Amino acid sequence: MTEQQIKTLLNLDESTQPPRVSASGDWVLANYRLLEPAVKQLQARIHSGVVFDLGRLGILDTAGAALLVKLLGEQRIFNLQQIAPSLPAERRVLLETVGHALHDFHQPAEEKAPGLVTELLATVGQSMANFWQNLVELLGFIGLTLNTLVVSLWRPSRWRITSLVANLQQIGLNAVPIIMLLTFLVGAVIAFLGSTVLSTFGASIFTVHLVVFSFLREFAVLLTAILMAGRTASAFTAEIGLMKANEEIDAIQTLGLNSVELLVLPRVLALLLALPMLTFIGMISGIFGGLIVCALTLDISPTMFLTIMQSSGGFQHFLVGMSKAPVFAFLIAIIGCLEGFKVTGSAESVGSHTTASVVHSIFVVILLDAVAALFFMEMGW
């Protein structure tokens, strides 16, 4: 569009008295880029006595109406019937509507960036809210699982023996080698460090007590539970989460089957059986590692090692350690299955919830182990 064409659409005739502003042609979005500079230039030359001729307007849309509102000003736009009597009623209504919209529009104030303390408090608050939500979900899922377990106990036809045995093999039997190796090495390291420190006080014989006490009460069950949290809880979450993403759980529910009974109970029961057995194997392997180190570095024979172990109240420590195993197993399995049910339909969700199941399981295991250790020590057990 040329300058001459723009003057045809918008023209100020100062040769008449009073001066006359004429607007004609199509005031539409397509001409906005060219009309806007002309309107800005003409605004400075318009005074209160100017007369407007809007009777020759062609097509008018909201973009063109916004330019005309800027040209006329707020005082004139609401008095169009006197200023431009030749303007059709529908055009006048459009201009008045756009004028009201521009008049009532207020640029939203820019929000100030929160300070460091505010962000820190917000992060802490969000973390506490997420912790409370996860705790409520965990307690609710525990109740649902226990209810399903009690109901299915009285109906042997609904027991999933095949699934239980398959999970027991995967969880328990396949984990035996790594549990034995890990606990054996940790037992050997504890015995070696204990003998190194205690020998400076002439108390090397108490290395046996250190190995027996630490493994029967704490290390065997704790190492086994942490390993199961990383190995088994993640597997539960990935398996159930993939089923959730593929809508297999929806299909199970559509068939009228209970997804908790079908997917959760066999895994929970399998881990309840497997973790105490693995803990017992871990105790034996850890003590055996300590026995080997004591025999090689301290000249304590296996017979003397077992005699000292028997006289140090090892059976009581054994019961304390074994009592934690079912609790850890139940919580690890519940957390792993719960995170699997939280998965949405994306691979990223499977990965994030698998990570969350491992982190939450390890956190719960260590927290409960610390509480149990304080409780048993205060009770004198």
Side-chain angles (χ1 to χ4, degrees), residues 13-308:
D13 186 2
E14 296 179 333
S15 62
T16 61
Q17 290 297 328
R20 180 182 297 273
V21 176
S22 300
S24 60
D26 297 337
W27 285 60
V28 293
L29 182 61
N31 299 332
Y32 188 92
R33 184 175 59 86
L34 299 173
L35 285 171
E36 185 181 20
V39 170
K40 289 182 178 179
Q41 292 178 4
L42 197 58
Q43 276 182 305
R45 300 167 58 188
I46 295 176
H47 53 81
S48 59
V50 173
V51 177
F52 290 87
D53 181 11
L54 306 178
R56 292 179 296 171
L57 283 174
I59 302 174
L60 179 66
D61 62 6
T62 53
L67 286 176
L68 286 175
V69 168
K70 291 181 180 179
L71 181 66
L72 294 170
E74 292 185 1
Q75 295 180 353
R76 297 187 186 94
I77 199 66
F78 302 120
N79 196 23
L80 287 175
Q81 195 164 5
Q82 286 75 25
I83 295 176
S86 61
L87 187 66
E90 64 274 10
R91 301 287 177 83
R92 185 172 64 252
V93 171
L94 175 60
L95 289 173
E96 289 176 351
T97 302
V98 174
H100 280 293
L102 293 176
H103 176 73
D104 297 337
F105 176 75
H106 297 286
Q107 189 71 24
E110 294 184 0
E111 295 184 0
K112 294 182 179 180
L116 180 61
V117 177
T118 304
E119 289 187 351
L120 179 61
L121 293 176
T123 303
V124 173
Q126 185 63 43
S127 301
M128 293 301 297
N130 293 337
F131 174 78
W132 176 253
Q133 181 180 0
N134 291 331
L135 180 61
V136 171
E137 291 176 349
L138 178 61
L139 294 176
F141 195 71
I142 289 174
L144 178 62
T145 304
L146 292 177
N147 179 69
T148 306
L149 176 62
V150 172
V151 171
S152 62
L153 281 178
W154 306 105
R155 301 176 182 178
S157 60
R158 297 171 64 174
W159 293 356
R160 309 290 174 179
I161 303 299
T162 303
S163 179
L164 174 63
V165 173
N167 281 286
L168 188 59
Q169 178 184 0
Q170 180 184 3
I171 295 168
L173 186 61
N174 294 344
V176 169
I178 191 172
I179 292 293
M180 292 181 64
L181 177 62
L182 178 65
T183 52
F184 175 83
L185 293 176
V186 173
V189 169
I190 290 176
F192 180 76
L193 293 177
S195 63
T196 303
V197 174
L198 294 174
S199 62
T200 59
F201 303 98
S204 300
I205 194 65
F206 290 103
T207 303
V208 179
H209 295 272
L210 175 63
V211 173
V212 172
F213 185 87
S214 61
F215 259 89
L216 292 182
R217 293 185 71 99
E218 296 294 335
F219 283 145
V221 64
L222 187 60
L223 291 174
T224 304
I226 291 176
L227 189 61
M228 288 296 101
R231 182 180 182 274
T232 305
S234 60
F236 288 174
T237 303
E239 291 169 0
I240 296 177
L242 190 58
M243 294 180 67
K244 182 75 178 296
N246 292 336
E247 299 182 354
E248 296 178 35
I249 294 180
D250 296 335
I252 290 173
Q253 295 174 345
T254 302
L255 293 173
L257 300 174
N258 189 336
S259 58
V260 175
E261 178 184 326
L262 189 65
L263 302 175
V264 177
L265 285 185
R267 289 173 167 82
V268 172
L269 294 176
L271 194 56
L272 278 172
L273 294 173
L275 189 58
M277 293 187 290
L278 292 174
T279 300
F280 179 73
I281 294 173
M283 291 177 178
I284 296 175
S285 299
I287 292 174
F288 183 71
L291 185 148
I292 295 296
V293 172
C294 289
L296 295 177
T297 61
L298 301 178
D299 294 328
I300 298 177
S301 64
T303 304
M304 182 182 297
F305 187 98
L306 295 176
T307 303
I308 298 173

